[in-house]
Amino acid sequence: NLGVDLFFCCFLRFDEIKEGDVVRHDGKRSDGYLEHIFKHAAKELFGVDVKEITYKALKNKDFQEVTLEKDGETVLRFAAAYGFRNIQNMVLKLKKGKFLYHFVEVLACPGGCLNGKGQAQTEDGKPDKALLNQMEEVYAAIPVRLPETNMHVQKMYQDWLEGMDSKKVQETLHTKYSTVNQTASNLDIKW
């Protein structure tokens, strides 16, 4: 597995946000952070400047993968798993050791965040497709700003995290994985 520890965050007070401050990450929808991380990882790890990402639908439209090939070898393999059924399938594959992805974007709502139950629905309780399309258009019209070029993110790294390569960055933003011992419990979920 690649040790890709990419995480950008920004702490803003809403009363400090002005018109023009609202920006989005790369990606077609609000849940498409995978696209930014994929492009960033391709550039930083392999020197490849990815302009356009092509998703390949696997079992269904809510389980897709994106790969980067270099010299005939797949060097990055990302997936987007939306909806509980796909999440359950992903967990099962992980348990069996058959899940070969370097990064997975997981969202509970099929179709992503804009299609979630907290969004507007028709009177019969189904997603309002016209409204969903309109929300996606509005989101796509928001300017893209890469998190690493955002002055608020840079200030956070400088002031709070004590620089880009500090010990505090390693402790705060990077993840370490270790084996978890199984415990027998009636509360364990068997997927």
Side-chain angles (χ1 to χ4, degrees), residues 141-178:
I142 298 171
V144 172
R145 183 187 301 155
L146 299 177
E148 58 270 22
T149 65
N150 184 311
M151 68 176 187
H152 298 292
V153 173
Q154 291 175 0
K155 184 167 176 43
M156 180 197 64
Y157 269 98
Q158 192 60 40
D159 296 350
W160 185 64
L161 293 170
E162 302 165 358
M164 294 292 284
D165 297 319
S166 71
K167 183 178 179 185
K168 193 167 183 179
V169 165
Q170 290 293 320
E171 293 170 352
T172 307
L173 301 180
H174 292 243
T175 302
K176 292 180 182 166
Y177 298 96
S178 59

PDB file of all heavy atoms in Angstrom, residues 141-178:
ATOM      1  N   ALA A 141     -20.506  25.593 -10.709  1.00  0.00           N
ATOM      2  CA  ALA A 141     -20.217  26.994 -11.042  1.00  0.00           C
ATOM      3  C   ALA A 141     -19.325  27.672  -9.999  1.00  0.00           C
ATOM      4  O   ALA A 141     -18.762  28.735 -10.264  1.00  0.00           O
ATOM      5  CB  ALA A 141     -21.530  27.771 -11.197  1.00  0.00           C
ATOM      6  N   ILE A 142     -19.181  27.075  -8.826  1.00  0.00           N
ATOM      7  CA  ILE A 142     -18.322  27.644  -7.781  1.00  0.00           C
ATOM      8  C   ILE A 142     -16.869  27.482  -8.223  1.00  0.00           C
ATOM      9  O   ILE A 142     -16.481  26.414  -8.692  1.00  0.00           O
ATOM     10  CB  ILE A 142     -18.566  26.942  -6.427  1.00  0.00           C
ATOM     11  CG1 ILE A 142     -20.008  27.161  -5.963  1.00  0.00           C
ATOM     12  CG2 ILE A 142     -17.577  27.432  -5.377  1.00  0.00           C
ATOM     13  CD1 ILE A 142     -20.392  26.323  -4.758  1.00  0.00           C
ATOM     14  N   PRO A 143     -16.051  28.517  -8.071  1.00  0.00           N
ATOM     15  CA  PRO A 143     -14.654  28.401  -8.513  1.00  0.00           C
ATOM     16  C   PRO A 143     -13.889  27.321  -7.748  1.00  0.00           C
ATOM     17  O   PRO A 143     -14.132  27.093  -6.566  1.00  0.00           O
ATOM     18  CB  PRO A 143     -14.053  29.782  -8.216  1.00  0.00           C
ATOM     19  CG  PRO A 143     -15.146  30.645  -7.742  1.00  0.00           C
ATOM     20  CD  PRO A 143     -16.360  29.821  -7.506  1.00  0.00           C
ATOM     21  N   VAL A 144     -12.967  26.670  -8.447  1.00  0.00           N
ATOM     22  CA  VAL A 144     -12.110  25.644  -7.851  1.00  0.00           C
ATOM     23  C   VAL A 144     -10.864  26.326  -7.293  1.00  0.00           C
ATOM     24  O   VAL A 144     -10.254  27.158  -7.954  1.00  0.00           O
ATOM     25  CB  VAL A 144     -11.696  24.589  -8.899  1.00  0.00           C
ATOM     26  CG1 VAL A 144     -10.644  23.641  -8.333  1.00  0.00           C
ATOM     27  CG2 VAL A 144     -12.904  23.822  -9.402  1.00  0.00           C
ATOM     28  N   ARG A 145     -10.512  25.979  -6.070  1.00  0.00           N
ATOM     29  CA  ARG A 145      -9.237  26.420  -5.499  1.00  0.00           C
ATOM     30  C   ARG A 145      -8.624  25.205  -4.804  1.00  0.00           C
ATOM     31  O   ARG A 145      -9.249  24.585  -3.959  1.00  0.00           O
ATOM     32  CB  ARG A 145      -9.419  27.532  -4.475  1.00  0.00           C
ATOM     33  CG  ARG A 145      -8.042  28.001  -3.957  1.00  0.00           C
ATOM     34  CD  ARG A 145      -8.083  28.987  -2.823  1.00  0.00           C
ATOM     35  NE  ARG A 145      -8.797  30.184  -3.155  1.00  0.00           N
ATOM     36  CZ  ARG A 145      -9.387  30.958  -2.233  1.00  0.00           C
ATOM     37  NH1 ARG A 145      -9.318  30.633  -0.960  1.00  0.00           N
ATOM     38  NH2 ARG A 145     -10.014  32.036  -2.574  1.00  0.00           N
ATOM     39  N   LEU A 146      -7.420  24.900  -5.193  1.00  0.00           N
ATOM     40  CA  LEU A 146      -6.739  23.767  -4.580  1.00  0.00           C
ATOM     41  C   LEU A 146      -6.488  24.077  -3.112  1.00  0.00           C
ATOM     42  O   LEU A 146      -6.041  25.183  -2.777  1.00  0.00           O
ATOM     43  CB  LEU A 146      -5.425  23.482  -5.294  1.00  0.00           C
ATOM     44  CG  LEU A 146      -5.554  23.126  -6.770  1.00  0.00           C
ATOM     45  CD1 LEU A 146      -4.170  22.930  -7.376  1.00  0.00           C
ATOM     46  CD2 LEU A 146      -6.411  21.898  -6.968  1.00  0.00           C
ATOM     47  N   PRO A 147      -6.753  23.141  -2.209  1.00  0.00           N
ATOM     48  CA  PRO A 147      -6.564  23.391  -0.777  1.00  0.00           C
ATOM     49  C   PRO A 147      -5.155  23.857  -0.437  1.00  0.00           C
ATOM     50  O   PRO A 147      -4.967  24.716   0.420  1.00  0.00           O
ATOM     51  CB  PRO A 147      -6.874  22.048  -0.123  1.00  0.00           C
ATOM     52  CG  PRO A 147      -7.756  21.352  -1.095  1.00  0.00           C
ATOM     53  CD  PRO A 147      -7.312  21.810  -2.452  1.00  0.00           C
ATOM     54  N   GLU A 148      -4.167  23.318  -1.123  1.00  0.00           N
ATOM     55  CA  GLU A 148      -2.788  23.691  -0.793  1.00  0.00           C
ATOM     56  C   GLU A 148      -2.437  25.119  -1.212  1.00  0.00           C
ATOM     57  O   GLU A 148      -1.419  25.652  -0.804  1.00  0.00           O
ATOM     58  CB  GLU A 148      -1.783  22.683  -1.371  1.00  0.00           C
ATOM     59  CG  GLU A 148      -1.849  22.517  -2.870  1.00  0.00           C
ATOM     60  CD  GLU A 148      -2.815  21.440  -3.339  1.00  0.00           C
ATOM     61  OE1 GLU A 148      -3.743  21.084  -2.604  1.00  0.00           O
ATOM     62  OE2 GLU A 148      -2.617  20.948  -4.454  1.00  0.00           O
ATOM     63  N   THR A 149      -3.283  25.768  -2.016  1.00  0.00           N
ATOM     64  CA  THR A 149      -3.053  27.172  -2.386  1.00  0.00           C
ATOM     65  C   THR A 149      -3.928  28.126  -1.576  1.00  0.00           C
ATOM     66  O   THR A 149      -3.813  29.334  -1.715  1.00  0.00           O
ATOM     67  CB  THR A 149      -3.327  27.414  -3.886  1.00  0.00           C
ATOM     68  OG1 THR A 149      -4.715  27.197  -4.142  1.00  0.00           O
ATOM     69  CG2 THR A 149      -2.472  26.505  -4.751  1.00  0.00           C
ATOM     70  N   ASN A 150      -4.767  27.593  -0.727  1.00  0.00           N
ATOM     71  CA  ASN A 150      -5.679  28.413   0.069  1.00  0.00           C
ATOM     72  C   ASN A 150      -4.907  29.090   1.206  1.00  0.00           C
ATOM     73  O   ASN A 150      -4.212  28.433   1.974  1.00  0.00           O
ATOM     74  CB  ASN A 150      -6.783  27.509   0.630  1.00  0.00           C
ATOM     75  CG  ASN A 150      -7.835  28.257   1.402  1.00  0.00           C
ATOM     76  OD1 ASN A 150      -7.530  29.071   2.276  1.00  0.00           O
ATOM     77  ND2 ASN A 150      -9.075  27.966   1.089  1.00  0.00           N
ATOM     78  N   MET A 151      -5.043  30.425   1.306  1.00  0.00           N
ATOM     79  CA  MET A 151      -4.286  31.163   2.335  1.00  0.00           C
ATOM     80  C   MET A 151      -4.671  30.747   3.749  1.00  0.00           C
ATOM     81  O   MET A 151      -3.855  30.778   4.659  1.00  0.00           O
ATOM     82  CB  MET A 151      -4.459  32.670   2.157  1.00  0.00           C
ATOM     83  CG  MET A 151      -5.834  33.186   2.451  1.00  0.00           C
ATOM     84  SD  MET A 151      -5.833  34.975   2.313  1.00  0.00           S
ATOM     85  CE  MET A 151      -7.475  35.313   2.897  1.00  0.00           C
ATOM     86  N   HIS A 152      -5.926  30.337   3.956  1.00  0.00           N
ATOM     87  CA  HIS A 152      -6.350  29.900   5.283  1.00  0.00           C
ATOM     88  C   HIS A 152      -5.662  28.577   5.661  1.00  0.00           C
ATOM     89  O   HIS A 152      -5.281  28.379   6.817  1.00  0.00           O
ATOM     90  CB  HIS A 152      -7.873  29.750   5.344  1.00  0.00           C
ATOM     91  CG  HIS A 152      -8.606  31.024   5.096  1.00  0.00           C
ATOM     92  ND1 HIS A 152      -8.582  32.089   5.969  1.00  0.00           N
ATOM     93  CD2 HIS A 152      -9.381  31.414   4.059  1.00  0.00           C
ATOM     94  CE1 HIS A 152      -9.318  33.079   5.491  1.00  0.00           C
ATOM     95  NE2 HIS A 152      -9.814  32.696   4.330  1.00  0.00           N
ATOM     96  N   VAL A 153      -5.536  27.672   4.676  1.00  0.00           N
ATOM     97  CA  VAL A 153      -4.848  26.405   4.923  1.00  0.00           C
ATOM     98  C   VAL A 153      -3.368  26.672   5.196  1.00  0.00           C
ATOM     99  O   VAL A 153      -2.785  26.114   6.129  1.00  0.00           O
ATOM    100  CB  VAL A 153      -5.028  25.436   3.737  1.00  0.00           C
ATOM    101  CG1 VAL A 153      -4.168  24.194   3.912  1.00  0.00           C
ATOM    102  CG2 VAL A 153      -6.490  25.047   3.590  1.00  0.00           C
ATOM    103  N   GLN A 154      -2.751  27.539   4.414  1.00  0.00           N
ATOM    104  CA  GLN A 154      -1.342  27.874   4.623  1.00  0.00           C
ATOM    105  C   GLN A 154      -1.124  28.491   5.998  1.00  0.00           C
ATOM    106  O   GLN A 154      -0.163  28.156   6.691  1.00  0.00           O
ATOM    107  CB  GLN A 154      -0.864  28.818   3.523  1.00  0.00           C
ATOM    108  CG  GLN A 154      -0.782  28.149   2.174  1.00  0.00           C
ATOM    109  CD  GLN A 154      -0.436  29.115   1.062  1.00  0.00           C
ATOM    110  OE1 GLN A 154      -0.252  30.301   1.273  1.00  0.00           O
ATOM    111  NE2 GLN A 154      -0.352  28.586  -0.154  1.00  0.00           N
ATOM    112  N   LYS A 155      -2.027  29.372   6.408  1.00  0.00           N
ATOM    113  CA  LYS A 155      -1.931  30.007   7.731  1.00  0.00           C
ATOM    114  C   LYS A 155      -2.077  28.960   8.843  1.00  0.00           C
ATOM    115  O   LYS A 155      -1.361  28.986   9.836  1.00  0.00           O
ATOM    116  CB  LYS A 155      -2.993  31.095   7.872  1.00  0.00           C
ATOM    117  CG  LYS A 155      -2.891  31.874   9.172  1.00  0.00           C
ATOM    118  CD  LYS A 155      -3.758  33.122   9.113  1.00  0.00           C
ATOM    119  CE  LYS A 155      -3.787  33.895  10.394  1.00  0.00           C
ATOM    120  NZ  LYS A 155      -2.556  34.079  11.095  1.00  0.00           N
ATOM    121  N   MET A 156      -3.010  28.009   8.652  1.00  0.00           N
ATOM    122  CA  MET A 156      -3.195  26.953   9.642  1.00  0.00           C
ATOM    123  C   MET A 156      -1.917  26.121   9.783  1.00  0.00           C
ATOM    124  O   MET A 156      -1.486  25.814  10.887  1.00  0.00           O
ATOM    125  CB  MET A 156      -4.361  26.044   9.263  1.00  0.00           C
ATOM    126  CG  MET A 156      -4.595  24.927  10.270  1.00  0.00           C
ATOM    127  SD  MET A 156      -5.600  23.589   9.653  1.00  0.00           S
ATOM    128  CE  MET A 156      -4.601  22.937   8.352  1.00  0.00           C
ATOM    129  N   TYR A 157      -1.306  25.779   8.639  1.00  0.00           N
ATOM    130  CA  TYR A 157      -0.057  25.012   8.691  1.00  0.00           C
ATOM    131  C   TYR A 157       1.031  25.802   9.412  1.00  0.00           C
ATOM    132  O   TYR A 157       1.775  25.251  10.210  1.00  0.00           O
ATOM    133  CB  TYR A 157       0.420  24.638   7.284  1.00  0.00           C
ATOM    134  CG  TYR A 157      -0.092  23.302   6.816  1.00  0.00           C
ATOM    135  CD1 TYR A 157      -1.196  23.211   5.991  1.00  0.00           C
ATOM    136  CD2 TYR A 157       0.540  22.127   7.210  1.00  0.00           C
ATOM    137  CE1 TYR A 157      -1.668  21.984   5.556  1.00  0.00           C
ATOM    138  CE2 TYR A 157       0.082  20.889   6.787  1.00  0.00           C
ATOM    139  CZ  TYR A 157      -1.019  20.831   5.959  1.00  0.00           C
ATOM    140  OH  TYR A 157      -1.481  19.618   5.549  1.00  0.00           O
ATOM    141  N   GLN A 158       1.119  27.075   9.125  1.00  0.00           N
ATOM    142  CA  GLN A 158       2.172  27.895   9.722  1.00  0.00           C
ATOM    143  C   GLN A 158       1.935  28.148  11.205  1.00  0.00           C
ATOM    144  O   GLN A 158       2.818  27.944  12.028  1.00  0.00           O
ATOM    145  CB  GLN A 158       2.277  29.233   8.973  1.00  0.00           C
ATOM    146  CG  GLN A 158       3.514  30.000   9.332  1.00  0.00           C
ATOM    147  CD  GLN A 158       4.791  29.223   9.005  1.00  0.00           C
ATOM    148  OE1 GLN A 158       4.900  28.556   7.990  1.00  0.00           O
ATOM    149  NE2 GLN A 158       5.759  29.287   9.901  1.00  0.00           N
ATOM    150  N   ASP A 159       0.723  28.584  11.558  1.00  0.00           N
ATOM    151  CA  ASP A 159       0.445  29.007  12.936  1.00  0.00           C
ATOM    152  C   ASP A 159       0.135  27.847  13.875  1.00  0.00           C
ATOM    153  O   ASP A 159       0.625  27.790  14.989  1.00  0.00           O
ATOM    154  CB  ASP A 159      -0.731  29.997  12.962  1.00  0.00           C
ATOM    155  CG  ASP A 159      -0.420  31.288  12.241  1.00  0.00           C
ATOM    156  OD1 ASP A 159       0.764  31.517  11.885  1.00  0.00           O
ATOM    157  OD2 ASP A 159      -1.361  32.069  12.009  1.00  0.00           O
ATOM    158  N   TRP A 160      -0.707  26.951  13.455  1.00  0.00           N
ATOM    159  CA  TRP A 160      -1.177  25.898  14.348  1.00  0.00           C
ATOM    160  C   TRP A 160      -0.343  24.627  14.245  1.00  0.00           C
ATOM    161  O   TRP A 160      -0.049  23.977  15.237  1.00  0.00           O
ATOM    162  CB  TRP A 160      -2.653  25.605  14.069  1.00  0.00           C
ATOM    163  CG  TRP A 160      -3.250  24.617  15.011  1.00  0.00           C
ATOM    164  CD1 TRP A 160      -3.423  24.756  16.353  1.00  0.00           C
ATOM    165  CD2 TRP A 160      -3.745  23.317  14.677  1.00  0.00           C
ATOM    166  NE1 TRP A 160      -4.005  23.631  16.882  1.00  0.00           N
ATOM    167  CE2 TRP A 160      -4.214  22.723  15.868  1.00  0.00           C
ATOM    168  CE3 TRP A 160      -3.847  22.596  13.490  1.00  0.00           C
ATOM    169  CZ2 TRP A 160      -4.770  21.463  15.903  1.00  0.00           C
ATOM    170  CZ3 TRP A 160      -4.406  21.337  13.528  1.00  0.00           C
ATOM    171  CH2 TRP A 160      -4.856  20.783  14.734  1.00  0.00           C
ATOM    172  N   LEU A 161       0.054  24.262  13.021  1.00  0.00           N
ATOM    173  CA  LEU A 161       0.771  23.005  12.829  1.00  0.00           C
ATOM    174  C   LEU A 161       2.289  23.173  12.791  1.00  0.00           C
ATOM    175  O   LEU A 161       3.011  22.197  12.604  1.00  0.00           O
ATOM    176  CB  LEU A 161       0.285  22.323  11.539  1.00  0.00           C
ATOM    177  CG  LEU A 161      -1.161  21.831  11.599  1.00  0.00           C
ATOM    178  CD1 LEU A 161      -1.622  21.391  10.217  1.00  0.00           C
ATOM    179  CD2 LEU A 161      -1.318  20.706  12.602  1.00  0.00           C
ATOM    180  N   GLU A 162       2.760  24.400  12.953  1.00  0.00           N
ATOM    181  CA  GLU A 162       4.196  24.682  13.071  1.00  0.00           C
ATOM    182  C   GLU A 162       4.994  24.286  11.830  1.00  0.00           C
ATOM    183  O   GLU A 162       6.112  23.792  11.926  1.00  0.00           O
ATOM    184  CB  GLU A 162       4.754  24.002  14.328  1.00  0.00           C
ATOM    185  CG  GLU A 162       4.053  24.442  15.598  1.00  0.00           C
ATOM    186  CD  GLU A 162       4.318  23.540  16.795  1.00  0.00           C
ATOM    187  OE1 GLU A 162       5.027  22.510  16.653  1.00  0.00           O
ATOM    188  OE2 GLU A 162       3.799  23.872  17.876  1.00  0.00           O
ATOM    189  N   GLY A 163       4.411  24.493  10.641  1.00  0.00           N
ATOM    190  CA  GLY A 163       5.109  24.228   9.382  1.00  0.00           C
ATOM    191  C   GLY A 163       4.608  22.982   8.688  1.00  0.00           C
ATOM    192  O   GLY A 163       3.912  22.149   9.272  1.00  0.00           O
ATOM    193  N   MET A 164       4.979  22.842   7.403  1.00  0.00           N
ATOM    194  CA  MET A 164       4.484  21.742   6.563  1.00  0.00           C
ATOM    195  C   MET A 164       5.021  20.367   6.973  1.00  0.00           C
ATOM    196  O   MET A 164       4.329  19.379   6.856  1.00  0.00           O
ATOM    197  CB  MET A 164       4.854  21.996   5.093  1.00  0.00           C
ATOM    198  CG  MET A 164       4.163  23.203   4.482  1.00  0.00           C
ATOM    199  SD  MET A 164       2.406  22.982   4.293  1.00  0.00           S
ATOM    200  CE  MET A 164       2.366  21.924   2.883  1.00  0.00           C
ATOM    201  N   ASP A 165       6.251  20.300   7.413  1.00  0.00           N
ATOM    202  CA  ASP A 165       6.876  19.010   7.717  1.00  0.00           C
ATOM    203  C   ASP A 165       7.170  18.828   9.201  1.00  0.00           C
ATOM    204  O   ASP A 165       8.070  18.089   9.581  1.00  0.00           O
ATOM    205  CB  ASP A 165       8.174  18.872   6.913  1.00  0.00           C
ATOM    206  CG  ASP A 165       7.923  18.857   5.421  1.00  0.00           C
ATOM    207  OD1 ASP A 165       6.951  18.214   4.989  1.00  0.00           O
ATOM    208  OD2 ASP A 165       8.698  19.504   4.682  1.00  0.00           O
ATOM    209  N   SER A 166       6.386  19.489  10.026  1.00  0.00           N
ATOM    210  CA  SER A 166       6.644  19.448  11.461  1.00  0.00           C
ATOM    211  C   SER A 166       6.210  18.124  12.088  1.00  0.00           C
ATOM    212  O   SER A 166       5.451  17.351  11.514  1.00  0.00           O
ATOM    213  CB  SER A 166       5.907  20.600  12.156  1.00  0.00           C
ATOM    214  OG  SER A 166       4.519  20.351  12.157  1.00  0.00           O
ATOM    215  N   LYS A 167       6.690  17.909  13.293  1.00  0.00           N
ATOM    216  CA  LYS A 167       6.281  16.738  14.078  1.00  0.00           C
ATOM    217  C   LYS A 167       4.772  16.810  14.354  1.00  0.00           C
ATOM    218  O   LYS A 167       4.075  15.802  14.325  1.00  0.00           O
ATOM    219  CB  LYS A 167       7.068  16.688  15.386  1.00  0.00           C
ATOM    220  CG  LYS A 167       6.755  15.463  16.217  1.00  0.00           C
ATOM    221  CD  LYS A 167       7.607  15.425  17.483  1.00  0.00           C
ATOM    222  CE  LYS A 167       7.227  14.198  18.290  1.00  0.00           C
ATOM    223  NZ  LYS A 167       7.927  14.168  19.571  1.00  0.00           N
ATOM    224  N   LYS A 168       4.258  18.017  14.587  1.00  0.00           N
ATOM    225  CA  LYS A 168       2.832  18.190  14.860  1.00  0.00           C
ATOM    226  C   LYS A 168       1.976  17.787  13.653  1.00  0.00           C
ATOM    227  O   LYS A 168       0.902  17.222  13.817  1.00  0.00           O
ATOM    228  CB  LYS A 168       2.540  19.639  15.272  1.00  0.00           C
ATOM    229  CG  LYS A 168       1.167  19.822  15.864  1.00  0.00           C
ATOM    230  CD  LYS A 168       1.035  21.174  16.537  1.00  0.00           C
ATOM    231  CE  LYS A 168      -0.324  21.299  17.193  1.00  0.00           C
ATOM    232  NZ  LYS A 168      -0.490  22.560  17.874  1.00  0.00           N
ATOM    233  N   VAL A 169       2.449  18.056  12.437  1.00  0.00           N
ATOM    234  CA  VAL A 169       1.740  17.620  11.225  1.00  0.00           C
ATOM    235  C   VAL A 169       1.667  16.103  11.209  1.00  0.00           C
ATOM    236  O   VAL A 169       0.612  15.515  10.959  1.00  0.00           O
ATOM    237  CB  VAL A 169       2.420  18.158   9.945  1.00  0.00           C
ATOM    238  CG1 VAL A 169       1.926  17.421   8.705  1.00  0.00           C
ATOM    239  CG2 VAL A 169       2.175  19.647   9.791  1.00  0.00           C
ATOM    240  N   GLN A 170       2.792  15.452  11.471  1.00  0.00           N
ATOM    241  CA  GLN A 170       2.818  13.985  11.485  1.00  0.00           C
ATOM    242  C   GLN A 170       1.855  13.414  12.521  1.00  0.00           C
ATOM    243  O   GLN A 170       1.118  12.486  12.249  1.00  0.00           O
ATOM    244  CB  GLN A 170       4.239  13.475  11.755  1.00  0.00           C
ATOM    245  CG  GLN A 170       5.203  13.703  10.625  1.00  0.00           C
ATOM    246  CD  GLN A 170       4.845  12.886   9.400  1.00  0.00           C
ATOM    247  OE1 GLN A 170       4.455  11.731   9.496  1.00  0.00           O
ATOM    248  NE2 GLN A 170       4.954  13.501   8.241  1.00  0.00           N
ATOM    249  N   GLU A 171       1.861  13.980  13.717  1.00  0.00           N
ATOM    250  CA  GLU A 171       0.998  13.487  14.792  1.00  0.00           C
ATOM    251  C   GLU A 171      -0.477  13.779  14.555  1.00  0.00           C
ATOM    252  O   GLU A 171      -1.335  12.980  14.910  1.00  0.00           O
ATOM    253  CB  GLU A 171       1.429  14.113  16.125  1.00  0.00           C
ATOM    254  CG  GLU A 171       2.785  13.668  16.603  1.00  0.00           C
ATOM    255  CD  GLU A 171       3.291  14.491  17.785  1.00  0.00           C
ATOM    256  OE1 GLU A 171       2.665  15.512  18.142  1.00  0.00           O
ATOM    257  OE2 GLU A 171       4.342  14.114  18.341  1.00  0.00           O
ATOM    258  N   THR A 172      -0.777  14.930  13.960  1.00  0.00           N
ATOM    259  CA  THR A 172      -2.160  15.382  13.833  1.00  0.00           C
ATOM    260  C   THR A 172      -2.847  14.885  12.568  1.00  0.00           C
ATOM    261  O   THR A 172      -4.009  14.483  12.611  1.00  0.00           O
ATOM    262  CB  THR A 172      -2.214  16.930  13.863  1.00  0.00           C
ATOM    263  OG1 THR A 172      -1.534  17.384  15.029  1.00  0.00           O
ATOM    264  CG2 THR A 172      -3.644  17.435  13.876  1.00  0.00           C
ATOM    265  N   LEU A 173      -2.146  14.883  11.447  1.00  0.00           N
ATOM    266  CA  LEU A 173      -2.800  14.629  10.161  1.00  0.00           C
ATOM    267  C   LEU A 173      -2.511  13.273   9.544  1.00  0.00           C
ATOM    268  O   LEU A 173      -3.217  12.863   8.637  1.00  0.00           O
ATOM    269  CB  LEU A 173      -2.405  15.725   9.151  1.00  0.00           C
ATOM    270  CG  LEU A 173      -2.754  17.153   9.544  1.00  0.00           C
ATOM    271  CD1 LEU A 173      -2.318  18.117   8.463  1.00  0.00           C
ATOM    272  CD2 LEU A 173      -4.237  17.298   9.833  1.00  0.00           C
ATOM    273  N   HIS A 174      -1.497  12.585   9.998  1.00  0.00           N
ATOM    274  CA  HIS A 174      -1.158  11.300   9.400  1.00  0.00           C
ATOM    275  C   HIS A 174      -1.734  10.166  10.239  1.00  0.00           C
ATOM    276  O   HIS A 174      -1.853  10.261  11.445  1.00  0.00           O
ATOM    277  CB  HIS A 174       0.356  11.168   9.266  1.00  0.00           C
ATOM    278  CG  HIS A 174       0.921  12.119   8.256  1.00  0.00           C
ATOM    279  ND1 HIS A 174       1.557  11.692   7.128  1.00  0.00           N
ATOM    280  CD2 HIS A 174       0.922  13.471   8.202  1.00  0.00           C
ATOM    281  CE1 HIS A 174       1.946  12.744   6.417  1.00  0.00           C
ATOM    282  NE2 HIS A 174       1.573  13.837   7.058  1.00  0.00           N
ATOM    283  N   THR A 175      -2.052   9.096   9.564  1.00  0.00           N
ATOM    284  CA  THR A 175      -2.694   7.953  10.206  1.00  0.00           C
ATOM    285  C   THR A 175      -1.739   6.769  10.239  1.00  0.00           C
ATOM    286  O   THR A 175      -1.016   6.528   9.283  1.00  0.00           O
ATOM    287  CB  THR A 175      -3.961   7.543   9.411  1.00  0.00           C
ATOM    288  OG1 THR A 175      -4.824   8.670   9.346  1.00  0.00           O
ATOM    289  CG2 THR A 175      -4.680   6.389  10.066  1.00  0.00           C
ATOM    290  N   LYS A 176      -1.774   6.038  11.322  1.00  0.00           N
ATOM    291  CA  LYS A 176      -1.014   4.804  11.425  1.00  0.00           C
ATOM    292  C   LYS A 176      -2.021   3.670  11.570  1.00  0.00           C
ATOM    293  O   LYS A 176      -2.986   3.777  12.315  1.00  0.00           O
ATOM    294  CB  LYS A 176      -0.087   4.829  12.640  1.00  0.00           C
ATOM    295  CG  LYS A 176       1.017   5.839  12.494  1.00  0.00           C
ATOM    296  CD  LYS A 176       1.916   5.846  13.705  1.00  0.00           C
ATOM    297  CE  LYS A 176       2.967   6.907  13.493  1.00  0.00           C
ATOM    298  NZ  LYS A 176       3.684   7.248  14.666  1.00  0.00           N
ATOM    299  N   TYR A 177      -1.771   2.593  10.869  1.00  0.00           N
ATOM    300  CA  TYR A 177      -2.670   1.449  10.899  1.00  0.00           C
ATOM    301  C   TYR A 177      -2.012   0.306  11.657  1.00  0.00           C
ATOM    302  O   TYR A 177      -0.814   0.085  11.547  1.00  0.00           O
ATOM    303  CB  TYR A 177      -3.013   0.996   9.472  1.00  0.00           C
ATOM    304  CG  TYR A 177      -3.731   2.054   8.691  1.00  0.00           C
ATOM    305  CD1 TYR A 177      -3.038   2.900   7.835  1.00  0.00           C
ATOM    306  CD2 TYR A 177      -5.093   2.230   8.825  1.00  0.00           C
ATOM    307  CE1 TYR A 177      -3.692   3.884   7.115  1.00  0.00           C
ATOM    308  CE2 TYR A 177      -5.761   3.208   8.117  1.00  0.00           C
ATOM    309  CZ  TYR A 177      -5.047   4.032   7.266  1.00  0.00           C
ATOM    310  OH  TYR A 177      -5.712   5.005   6.566  1.00  0.00           O
ATOM    311  N   SER A 178      -2.817  -0.404  12.418  1.00  0.00           N
ATOM    312  CA  SER A 178      -2.308  -1.569  13.119  1.00  0.00           C
ATOM    313  C   SER A 178      -3.417  -2.609  13.192  1.00  0.00           C
ATOM    314  O   SER A 178      -4.591  -2.303  13.046  1.00  0.00           O
ATOM    315  CB  SER A 178      -1.838  -1.193  14.527  1.00  0.00           C
ATOM    316  OG  SER A 178      -2.906  -0.629  15.256  1.00  0.00           O
TER     317      SER A 178
END
